[in-house]
Amino acid sequence: MIIILTGASHTGKTLLSQRMMEKYKIPYISIDHLKMGLIRSGNTSLTPNDDEEMTIYIWPIVREMIKTAIENKQSLIVEGCYIPYEWRKDFSEEYLKNIRFICLVMTDKYIDAHFDEIRNHASDIEERLDDSDLTIDWIKAENKRFADGFKAVGEETNLIDTNYEQTLEKVCFLKTVC
């Protein structure tokens, strides 16, 4: 089983991936690590801030990694924000039956009520070197972009509206993973 886990920055993708890895013993790969490896090695002139261009650049690599894992009958959690809205078009039905898609999105109401907590938990799983540009308006815009983009193509999103932990538990533990 492949789990594609996406969503806006600071929604808890890495935290959820870590929890799923620990519970189900499924390894995960961070698309951010792949991105930074490509940038630092000089294999791309893109920067960490070139999100749209990075999605176009990195998705073909990630897509083929997913296909390879399915063909090898391996489970893998693929975590990151560089998943195109129309990702399904790149897979035949045989591949799709082995993929579970999860998108985390925070509502404006949740962000308004919990912005300080969001900022304070930003480095729970991985150390963020510089988070000084994180603003309430930016995080709202990013969550809206993910919600609108995936909704437009018929994808389900998991809304974090009142209780963050309850939403993650529902996604991680109550739905069938394997």
Side-chain angles (χ1 to χ4, degrees):
M1 173 64 63
I2 304 299
I3 300 167
I4 297 176
L5 178 53
T6 193
S9 181
H10 293 77
T11 54
K13 298 179 300 294
T14 307
L15 175 65
L16 182 55
S17 295
Q18 181 77 27
R19 288 181 182 177
M20 293 174 95
M21 178 188 73
E22 290 168 0
K23 178 163 180 68
Y24 299 109
K25 309 295 186 233
I26 299 173
Y28 79 87
I29 182 166
S30 167
I31 300 173
D32 277 343
H33 293 169
L34 179 58
K35 169 189 81 172
M36 292 310 297
L38 291 165
I39 291 170
R40 288 179 169 181
S41 67
N43 282 297
T44 181
S45 60
L46 296 173
T47 72
N49 297 321
D50 295 327
D51 286 345
E52 287 181 43
E53 297 89 346
M54 185 57 71
T55 299
I56 293 166
Y57 180 76
I58 209 166
W59 175 245
I61 298 165
V62 172
R63 176 192 68 215
E64 297 308 315
M65 291 170 65
I66 291 169
K67 288 179 181 178
T68 300
I70 291 170
E71 291 162 0
N72 290 340
K73 299 188 182 345
Q74 295 174 301
S75 294
L76 182 65
I77 300 165
V78 178
E79 174 267 321
C81 60
Y82 303 103
I83 307 295
Y85 301 131
E86 295 185 343
W87 66 272
R88 287 184 189 271
K89 72 175 177 52
D90 292 331
F91 297 97
S92 70
E93 200 54 46
E94 284 300 306
Y95 287 111
L96 288 172
K97 70 182 183 183
N98 292 289
I99 300 173
R100 178 169 167 229
F101 177 78
I102 300 169
C103 180
L104 299 177
V105 176
M106 293 176 177
T107 64
D108 283 355
K109 179 178 109 177
Y110 183 84
I111 295 167
D112 286 334
H114 300 278
F115 182 69
D116 288 338
E117 289 174 61
I118 294 166
R119 181 185 292 272
N120 291 338
H121 288 283
S123 293
D124 281 358
I125 299 296
E126 60 186 356
E127 187 68 31
R128 292 180 186 264
L129 298 178
D130 181 14
D131 219 12
S132 60
D133 60 346
L134 179 65
T135 66
I136 199 164
D137 291 334
W138 180 84
I139 201 165
K140 283 181 177 181
E142 282 297 290
N143 277 271
K144 181 175 177 14
R145 181 173 69 87
F146 273 81
D148 291 350
F150 283 113
K151 183 179 179 182
V153 297
E155 293 288 355
E156 178 185 336
T157 59
N158 296 277
L159 289 180
I160 301 166
D161 187 46
T162 54
N163 188 314
Y164 181 82
E165 283 298 325
Q166 190 174 42
T167 302
L168 288 195
E169 267 188 51
K170 181 184 116 190
V171 171
C172 184
F173 301 113
L174 298 180
K175 290 185 177 181
T176 303
V177 174
C178 299

